[in-house]
């Protein structure tokens, strides 16, 4: 599953190449891609056509495009996203666009201004020219979903599910491609009072650790209250969003914490240290476009990330620990795998069962 860095890379690409463009046509080529829109493909298309995409936003692993009514005229991107792309550092995918610090609140919320490209580098002018409609298009990539900006003349991908064409002369369109059809697009009302157009169906998703509004004190208090283990907590999207299996293993390795350690045993300093490692891992992944193990994890230009070359834990079974040299281990975990160093990340001591007449268990 794509995690925060992969989704953020896609969001940045959408922000550059789709923001402010007016939707002229929507083709739903596979019904499962809009299965959450119960009114069906024709209604989904009708609800989008004639509206303008506002700046792409993200919370955790979810991203969305608020819809604006068409107001003032907008200028379409003047560069072709594929032709203009000369490497990850050029900003077409968002790499380097916001640096390695904290991301703007809701990562792309209108008015944040942080990392948003101007007209000179291909952004859409007048992106906020329309009035908000109170609805947003929510995208979930699932296991294999891709949002690609492609030339209108490019051959269709084998697993193309949705095509969105725009009312401008740029010659590019937005495509949703999904081999396994676990992902999809859906249209939702926005949460009342949310300045970023947050869809109401994901209002329960917690903020992620790169969000300036992330509440560390509340996170620690929730950790102490929950009777669970640390990796389960990191993957609980209602507690902290955007962290998945790969980056959880990486952060736990850096923090020297075993994945089965009880959350109640973490002190405040250790929890703060762990959060720091989570942030460091995510920022490092963002700097190189995320993690790609196959052609499914790509940005809007269809390019893969390179963080898998820097992984310290995930996928390194039997390879030497980069810190102590001990062979890395893999353990089955919740229908997945956890990778860890048996020397650096000692498992928690099991509590021996008490027998009749025995004293307190130490």
């Amino acid at each position: 599953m794509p995690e925060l860095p992969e989704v953020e890379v896609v969001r940045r690409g959408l922000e550059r190449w789709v923001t402010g463009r007016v939707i002229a046509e929507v083709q739903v080529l596979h019904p499962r891609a809009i299965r959450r829109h119960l009114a069906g493909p024709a209604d989904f298309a009708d609800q989008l056509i004639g509206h303008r995409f506002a700046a792409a936003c993200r919370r955790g692993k979810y991203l969305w495009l608020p819809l604006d009514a068409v107001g003032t005229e907008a200028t379409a991107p003047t560069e072709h996203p594929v032709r203009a792309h000369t490497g990850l550092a050029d900003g077409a995918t968002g790499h380097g666009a916001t640096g390695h610090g904290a991301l703007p609140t809701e990562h792309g919320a209108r008015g944040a201004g942080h990392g948003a490209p101007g007209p000179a580098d291909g952004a859409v002018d007048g992106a906020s020219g329309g009035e908000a409609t109170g609805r947003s298009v929510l995208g979930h990539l699932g296991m294999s979903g891709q949002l690609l900006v492609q030339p209108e003349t490019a051959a269709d991908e084998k697993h193309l599910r949705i095509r969105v064409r725009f009312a401008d002369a740029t010659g590019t369109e937005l495509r949703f491609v999904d081999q396994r059809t676990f992902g999809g697009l859906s249209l939702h009302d926005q949460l009342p009072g949310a300045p970023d157009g947050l869809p109401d169906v994901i209002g329960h998703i917690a903020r992620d650790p790169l969000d300036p509004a992330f509440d560390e004190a509340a996170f620690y208090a929730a950790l102490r209250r929950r009777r669970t283990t640390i990796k389960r907590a990191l993957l609980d999207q209602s507690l902290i969003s955007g962290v998945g299996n790969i980056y959880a293993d990486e952060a736990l390795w850096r923090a020297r914490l075993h994945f089965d350690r009880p959350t109640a045993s973490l002190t405040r300093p250790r929890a703060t240290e762990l959060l720091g490692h989570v942030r460091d891992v995510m920022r490092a992944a963002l700097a190189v476009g995320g993690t790609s193990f196959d052609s499914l994890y790509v940005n809007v230009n269809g390019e893969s990330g390179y963080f898998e070359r820097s992984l310290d834990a995930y996928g390194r079974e039997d390879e030497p620990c980069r810190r102590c040299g001990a062979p890395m281990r893999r353990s089955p975990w919740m229908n997945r795998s956890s990778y860890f160093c048996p020397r650096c990340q000692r498992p928690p001591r099991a509590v021996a069962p008490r027998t009749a007449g025995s004293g307190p268990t130490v």
Side-chain angles (χ1 to χ4, degrees), residues 10 24 38 45 57-58 77 95 129 152 154 166 176 219 329:
V10 174
L38 301 182
C57 302
R58 177 190 57 76
H95 172 65
E152 293 177 354
F166 300 99
F176 179 70
F219 172 74
R329 294 287 179 257

Side-chain angles (χ1 to χ4, degrees), residues 13-288:
L14 291 174
E15 182 177 57
R16 176 165 185 168
W17 298 112
V18 175
T19 298
R21 300 181 73 179
V22 176
I23 302 164
E25 180 184 358
V26 178
Q27 298 177 6
V28 178
L29 305 175
H30 196 297
R32 275 187 58 80
I34 55 105
R35 61 190 177 277
R36 294 177 181 86
H37 190 80
L38 301 182
D43 184 79
F44 179 80
D46 289 344
Q47 296 286 340
L48 268 62
I49 292 172
H51 291 96
R52 189 194 311 279
F53 279 139
C57 302
R58 177 190 57 76
R59 179 176 285 195
K61 304 176 188 179
Y62 290 89
L63 57 82
W64 65 92
L65 290 155
L67 289 179
D68 284 353
V70 175
T72 58
E73 291 296 319
T75 302
T78 56
E79 298 175 274
H80 189 291
V82 177
R83 289 200 304 268
H85 185 78
T86 57
L88 286 173
D90 73 354
T93 66
H95 172 65
T98 62
H100 305 307
L103 303 178
T105 301
E106 288 306 341
H107 317 300
R110 278 175 268 186
H114 185 71
D121 65 358
V124 177
D125 200 8
S128 298
E131 185 176 336
T133 64
R135 310 200 80 190
S136 294
V137 177
L138 176 65
H140 194 281
L141 302 181
M143 295 186 69
S144 59
Q146 303 170 355
L147 283 165
L148 304 175
V149 176
Q150 296 280 49
E152 293 177 354
T153 56
D156 288 354
E157 293 79 6
K158 180 179 179 181
H159 302 289
L160 177 62
R161 308 305 186 193
I162 300 174
R163 185 199 321 274
V164 178
R165 288 181 170 152
F166 300 99
D168 55 53
T170 306
T172 61
E173 60 188 26
L174 178 64
R175 299 179 180 182
F176 179 70
V177 179
D178 192 0
Q179 175 180 331
R180 298 168 186 166
T181 64
F182 291 150
L185 304 182
S186 51
L187 185 62
H188 300 278
D189 291 333
Q190 297 170 1
L191 198 67
D196 49 24
L198 178 70
D200 54 8
V201 295
I202 59 169
H204 65 287
I205 299 295
R207 294 184 180 272
D208 66 64
L210 295 186
D211 191 326
F214 182 82
D215 191 334
E216 288 194 18
F219 172 74
Y220 177 69
L223 278 184
R224 296 287 296 178
R225 287 195 304 267
R226 300 197 181 192
R227 300 175 63 85
T228 187
T229 55
I230 187 59
K231 186 172 178 179
R232 285 176 181 266
L234 288 177
L235 269 61
D236 184 345
Q237 301 299 297
S238 67
L239 178 64
I240 180 172
S241 68
V243 184
N245 201 44
I246 295 174
Y247 297 117
D249 280 358
E250 292 300 300
L252 290 169
W253 180 85
R254 294 189 181 198
R256 301 177 183 241
L257 291 171
H258 192 274
F259 59 88
D260 261 345
R261 178 163 172 169
T263 54
S265 70
L266 281 185
T267 62
R268 179 67 178 269
R270 287 291 272 153
T272 300
E273 179 189 357
L274 175 59
L275 271 178
H277 289 304
V278 170
R279 292 185 175 113
D280 289 344
V281 167
M282 288 182 168
R283 287 170 182 151
L286 273 171
V288 291

